[in-house]
Amino acid sequence: MKQAYQDFKPWLRLLLRRRQRFLLGAILIWVTLIAGLSLLGLSGWFIAACALAGIALAAGLPSSLDIYVPGGGIRFFALLRTVVRYVERLYNHNTVLTLLADLRFRVFGYLTHLDDTSLRRSRAGDWLSRLTADIDTLDNLYLRLLMPPVVALLCVLAVPAFIAIWMPGVAIIVVVTLGALWLMITLGSAWLGFANSYQQTSDQRELRHLVLDQVQASAELMSYRTSAWHQQKISCQEVHAAANQRRLVFKTALGNAAVSLVTGILVISVLWVGSVAMLEGHVSGPILVMAVLILLGVNEAFSVLPAAFVKLGASHAAVKRLNALSTSPANLGKITLPTSCSGPLVSLSNVSFRYPDMLEPAVNTVSLTLPSTKRAVITGASGAGKSTLAQLLMGRISPTSGEVSVSDCAPCEVLADSRAANFAMLSQQVDLFDGSLAENLRIANPDANDEQLWRALAQVALSDWAQRQPQQLDTPVGEKGQQLSGGQARRVALARLFLRSPNMVLLDEPFAGVDAQTAKHIAHSLDQWLGNKTVIYFVHQVDDVSLLPGVEFYWQLDEGRLITDTGMHNPLPQ
């Protein structure tokens, strides 16, 4: 239990940042419940009092009853319950959505500090699961594990206190019984369903992975005639998950049955003890009816607890997975690079890098030196290790062996903000977001004005196209840039680089997806912009030397090893 509390502690602290919203939400739930109990109890009292008054009048006995005050009270509580419930639903759902946004922001922050090696240890679907499914599971923590128990506990105190006005002995029975029920349902349900709900999270994750594998690798599975085997594996996992879920539902039903049983016995006990008190003249019949109906209504406060606490294990599993992100090796860095107007000296000494679970290193004993403000090109076929080498220079991954140095600093030890200010890279993967053209450009420089944006677009030969669009800079690019062609999306990513002033620039296939004329325009823009920066081009092969002006160093990668053509300091072959 202590370990579970430690696991939940960081997320509970996050909740306490919005404790006013949490408390107000709990109060709204409590007021809604009290209004419902008051409506039920007062209605019961009013009906019973009217019945007794009618019997008395029919028997010729004098009787009087004020119907206006209780009638007004019934209307008041009915209206109060409706209005407060509506406000409570709006307010608490807004609170939960806000808390989920806080959670996703924190988890996404953890992910941004992980290097590429750590990210590759899990599938993309697994990271997405942590951002969605695991965080959504914590919805159960805030909305069902914290608010309802607090509200139920307040009812355990409020209802007996109200009954004690007329029947103190009955109130003692009620508070002891309801208190014991509260402990039994919260702690008992959590203990009873912890293992099954914990397992449910693992079952769902495994089933999700198997289904995604079936879809993504369908061609390979069909080629090797293993589709039926894999489908059978999915079916077995479904059967296993369904069996565990049935056990969980059964335990939830046990909790609900316990609530109904205890509250039913409590109602019968109160009715019996209250009847004795009524016969002795200590309490009137309508008051007894009111007390019994209020206790029947208390069932509403307890009925939501079993299903919530049975799933405590699922919340704990999600929390442990999210906590693992905060304790993962983070590429935070400790060094700030000096700001200068010239590019840095780049040096690699016997650098090797092997991805987890790979037999061969992606980069193998690479050594090179690129003087400050010079330009180089590294060629190689797909899979030769060019992108891995670029990631090493950017500090996104750390070498398995050897040393990488930029301005006499290991890039992986440089602070993220300092790296962002000094290094820039155009990767093969283009990241565009579902926003406008201007919003995607301003990712590189939030303070850039429209004139700077148009200048950057002109440098990549996109300004004419953008001006022809009805919304111009406000043109939506679609999710992942789907509204643009591949070449246009790549040029938008390149335009973002022109909005920055880095000292070292890495360009991975900068002319991919464009025609020869556009490539020459971009090459000319790059030549002017690169100036006295340290530059490395990563390309498959050099087809047109004029696209790489100013390049003085030429290397070639082959299966992770560096091959030099006739001398490291020779210019590009003509």
Side-chain angles (χ1 to χ4, degrees):
M1 184 63 69
K2 184 178 180 181
Q3 182 59 46
Y5 170 73
Q6 293 297 327
D7 292 334
F8 279 110
K9 191 174 180 179
W11 309 100
L12 293 175
R13 285 179 177 174
L14 188 63
L15 169 66
L16 290 177
R17 289 169 47 187
R18 301 185 183 274
R19 54 184 174 274
Q20 290 86 358
R21 293 186 65 92
F22 172 75
L23 291 175
L24 182 55
I27 290 172
L28 287 172
I29 295 177
W30 184 75
V31 171
T32 301
L33 184 60
I34 291 299
L37 295 177
S38 301
L39 175 62
L40 187 62
L42 184 57
S43 298
W45 178 91
F46 188 51
I47 293 171
C50 288
L52 291 176
I55 292 172
L57 290 174
L61 301 174
S63 178
S64 64
L65 179 66
D66 182 2
I67 63 174
Y68 297 104
V69 173
I74 291 172
R75 292 184 178 89
F76 170 75
F77 287 123
L79 184 61
L80 177 64
R81 183 175 182 270
T82 302
V83 172
V84 176
R85 180 176 288 275
Y86 179 76
V87 174
E88 178 266 321
R89 290 296 171 89
L90 286 178
Y91 187 84
N92 280 331
H93 278 79
N94 178 264
T95 298
V96 169
L97 291 174
T98 302
L99 289 170
L100 290 177
D102 290 342
L103 289 169
R104 288 194 173 96
F105 181 81
R106 171 175 287 189
V107 173
F108 191 78
Y110 289 154
L111 293 178
T112 58
H113 288 132
L114 295 179
D115 58 25
D116 284 19
T117 306
S118 300
L119 291 173
R120 286 174 182 266
R121 289 195 178 102
S122 298
R123 308 178 186 183
D126 192 46
W127 296 122
L128 182 62
S129 176
R130 298 196 188 194
L131 277 173
T132 54
D134 286 346
I135 292 177
D136 287 341
T137 302
L138 292 186
D139 181 6
N140 187 63
L141 171 66
Y142 295 119
L143 196 59
R144 296 179 178 86
L145 286 174
L146 294 180
M147 288 187 182
V150 171
V151 172
L153 188 59
L154 290 174
C155 288
V156 170
L157 301 175
V159 170
F162 180 73
I163 295 176
I165 299 174
W166 299 278
M167 298 179 288
V170 171
I172 294 174
I173 296 174
V174 171
V175 72
V176 171
T177 304
L178 291 182
L181 178 63
W182 187 87
L183 289 173
M184 179 180 69
I185 293 301
T186 54
L187 300 180
S189 295
W191 173 79
L192 194 64
F194 191 93
N196 292 112
S197 60
Y198 192 99
Q199 181 62 37
Q200 186 183 37
T201 302
S202 300
D203 291 341
Q204 290 174 344
R205 184 173 65 253
E206 182 63 24
L207 189 59
R208 189 183 301 112
H209 288 165
L210 289 173
V211 173
L212 286 175
D213 288 345
Q214 179 73 31
V215 174
Q216 294 176 348
S218 57
E220 289 82 357
L221 291 171
M222 292 177 65
S223 299
Y224 288 98
R225 297 183 179 181
T226 55
S227 293
W229 166 80
H230 198 271
Q231 290 172 359
Q232 180 64 30
K233 190 175 182 181
I234 294 176
S235 298
C236 292
Q237 180 62 29
E238 285 180 333
V239 170
H240 175 75
N244 181 72
Q245 190 168 3
R246 280 194 295 270
R247 289 191 291 269
L248 192 62
V249 171
F250 175 74
K251 292 177 180 180
T252 303
L254 282 180
N256 289 328
V259 171
S260 298
L261 178 63
V262 173
T263 54
I265 293 175
L266 179 61
V267 167
I268 293 173
S269 301
V270 170
L271 187 59
W272 176 46
V273 176
S275 298
V276 174
M278 184 183 69
L279 291 175
E280 294 176 354
H282 298 304
V283 66
S284 65
I287 293 296
L288 178 59
V289 171
M290 178 177 64
V292 170
L293 289 177
I294 288 176
L295 289 176
L296 284 174
V298 169
N299 185 72
E300 180 182 350
F302 285 86
S303 61
V304 298
L305 299 182
F309 278 85
V310 159
K311 295 181 180 179
L312 180 63
S315 296
H316 186 236
V319 162
K320 287 184 68 175
R321 281 164 50 83
L322 295 176
N323 286 344
L325 293 178
S326 63
T327 57
S328 297
N331 198 9
L332 298 177
K334 303 175 182 178
I335 303 172
T336 300
L337 286 175
T339 302
S340 63
C341 59
S342 61
L345 170 70
V346 176
S347 174
L348 284 80
S349 177
N350 294 319
V351 171
S352 296
F353 180 82
R354 186 195 303 272
Y355 287 104
D357 302 324
M358 297 297 292
L359 296 177
E360 298 293 332
V363 173
N364 195 355
T365 59
V366 170
S367 297
L368 61 84
T369 300
L370 180 62
S372 175
T373 71
K374 298 299 182 179
R375 303 181 189 181
V377 60
I378 299 178
T379 63
S382 296
K386 301 189 302 298
S387 296
T388 301
L389 191 59
Q391 301 287 349
L392 287 165
L393 291 170
M394 287 293 293
R396 293 179 179 175
I397 55 178
S398 303
T400 306
S401 62
E403 294 183 0
V404 180
S405 174
V406 177
S407 289
D408 297 325
C409 299
C412 60
E413 296 180 359
V414 177
L415 287 167
D417 290 344
S418 182
R419 266 187 286 167
N422 287 275
F423 303 161
M425 177 180 174
L426 176 68
S427 61
Q428 292 190 34
Q429 178 180 342
V430 175
D431 295 315
L432 297 182
F433 299 92
D434 191 6
S436 68
L437 183 61
E439 288 171 337
N440 275 275
L441 289 173
R442 288 196 172 101
I443 292 174
N445 183 3
D447 298 325
N449 55 37
D450 288 355
E451 181 181 353
Q452 291 173 298
L453 300 186
W454 283 115
R455 188 184 307 120
L457 290 173
Q459 289 173 300
V460 295
L462 274 180
S463 58
D464 291 342
W465 168 83
Q467 288 173 351
R468 291 194 300 269
Q469 303 306 307
Q471 296 177 269
Q472 295 193 354
L473 289 176
D474 293 326
T475 300
V477 303
E479 186 178 358
K480 297 183 179 179
Q482 291 177 347
Q483 301 299 323
L484 308 178
S485 68
Q488 287 174 328
R490 191 157 183 78
R491 279 184 281 165
V492 171
L494 181 58
R496 286 198 292 229
L497 265 64
F498 286 110
L499 293 171
R500 299 179 52 200
S501 299
N503 296 324
M504 184 177 75
V505 180
L506 307 179
L507 301 169
D508 197 347
E509 297 292 345
F511 309 113
V514 298
D515 56 64
Q517 184 178 355
T518 303
K520 290 182 179 180
H521 177 89
I522 294 174
H524 177 70
S525 299
L526 280 172
D527 186 35
Q528 293 181 323
W529 176 69
L530 292 173
N532 57 356
K533 299 175 174 61
T534 301
V535 184
I536 302 179
Y537 291 90
F538 295 89
V539 297
H540 287 94
Q541 60 184 17
V542 180
D543 295 320
D544 188 350
V545 177
S546 64
L547 297 180
L548 304 174
V551 171
E552 301 180 35
F553 295 82
Y554 171 71
W555 296 287
Q556 182 179 357
L557 275 174
D558 183 19
E559 296 183 353
R561 294 182 179 275
L562 198 64
I563 300 174
T564 305
D565 280 2
T566 67
M568 185 173 292
H569 301 289
N570 283 354
L572 282 173
Q574 301 297 322

